[in-house]
């Protein structure tokens, strides 16, 4: 008796391409957020997630970003394990979702966080336009 509600085809478990893509997009966004937060916020100290206040508020905002990114990564990995356990992971859509999530995070960060909300900038004291264009084109 099957414990899952997933439909089964005559050849075995049914793969789920849309779910595979969505789960891996979550993982991709979380991994890219982690790289951004660890490299640019912690190691290089370029900026904080919210730079329009004191350093303490900036560090607190980095902690909130790190917490959200870790929760998203854990949720994504659990959902990925569920797909694999039931044999319903669709590999090509999963890879596409991973890269889609990575790019979506970068574009959201570059356009919404940097330009629209002005939460933080890539650099300070210089014309940031070349940095922003380069940042968004590399995604």
């Amino acid at each position: 008796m099957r414990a899952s509600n997933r439909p089964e085809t005559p050849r075995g478990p049914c793969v789920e391409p849309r779910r595979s893509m969505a789960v891996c997009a979550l993982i991709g966004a979380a991994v890219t957020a982690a790289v951004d937060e660890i490299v640019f916020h912690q190691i290089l100290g370029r900026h904080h997630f919210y730079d329009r206040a004191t350093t303490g508020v900036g560090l607190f905002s980095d902690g909130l970003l790190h917490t959200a990114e870790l929760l998203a990564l854990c949720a994504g990995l659990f959902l990925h394990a569920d797909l694999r356990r039931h044999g319903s992971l669709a590999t090509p859509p999963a890879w596409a979702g991973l890269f889609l999530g990575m790019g979506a995070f970068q574009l959201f960060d570059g356009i919404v966080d940097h330009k629209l909300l002005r939460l933080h900038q890539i650099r300070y004291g210089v014309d940031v336009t070349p940095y922003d264009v380069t940042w968004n084109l590399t995604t």
Side-chain angles (χ1 to χ4, degrees):
M1 181 171 172
R2 286 179 29 110
S4 172
N5 292 340
R6 288 182 175 79
E8 191 167 311
T9 63
R11 292 173 288 187
C14 182
V15 295
E16 299 183 51
R18 294 179 110 185
R19 185 168 177 235
S20 297
M21 182 180 279
V23 165
C24 289
L26 178 63
I27 293 170
V31 166
T32 305
V35 170
D36 176 53
E37 197 269 332
I38 292 167
V39 173
F40 292 103
H41 297 213
Q42 293 178 10
I43 294 173
L44 296 177
R46 286 281 194 177
H47 55 259
H48 298 291
F49 180 69
Y50 183 72
D51 263 352
R52 299 175 80 185
T54 65
T55 302
V57 170
L59 289 172
F60 180 72
S61 69
D62 285 345
L64 291 177
L65 173 64
H66 197 58
T67 301
E69 153 255 309
L70 283 174
L71 289 173
L73 184 59
C74 288
L77 291 174
F78 273 103
L79 292 169
H80 185 271
D82 184 58
L83 283 168
R84 287 186 54 116
R85 180 175 58 248
H86 294 291
S88 54
L89 179 70
T91 305
W95 279 107
L98 180 75
F99 292 118
L100 180 70
M102 294 170 84
F105 174 84
Q106 285 294 88
L107 285 176
F108 183 86
D109 185 45
I111 294 170
V112 176
D113 290 346
H114 293 196
K115 289 298 167 202
L116 297 178
L117 298 177
R118 297 192 167 276
L119 293 176
H120 61 261
Q121 295 298 315
I122 295 174
R123 300 243 355 236
Y124 291 96
V126 297
D127 177 23
V128 295
T129 304
Y131 292 98
D132 287 335
V133 170
T134 302
W135 184 259
N136 288 324
L137 286 177
T138 59
T139 55

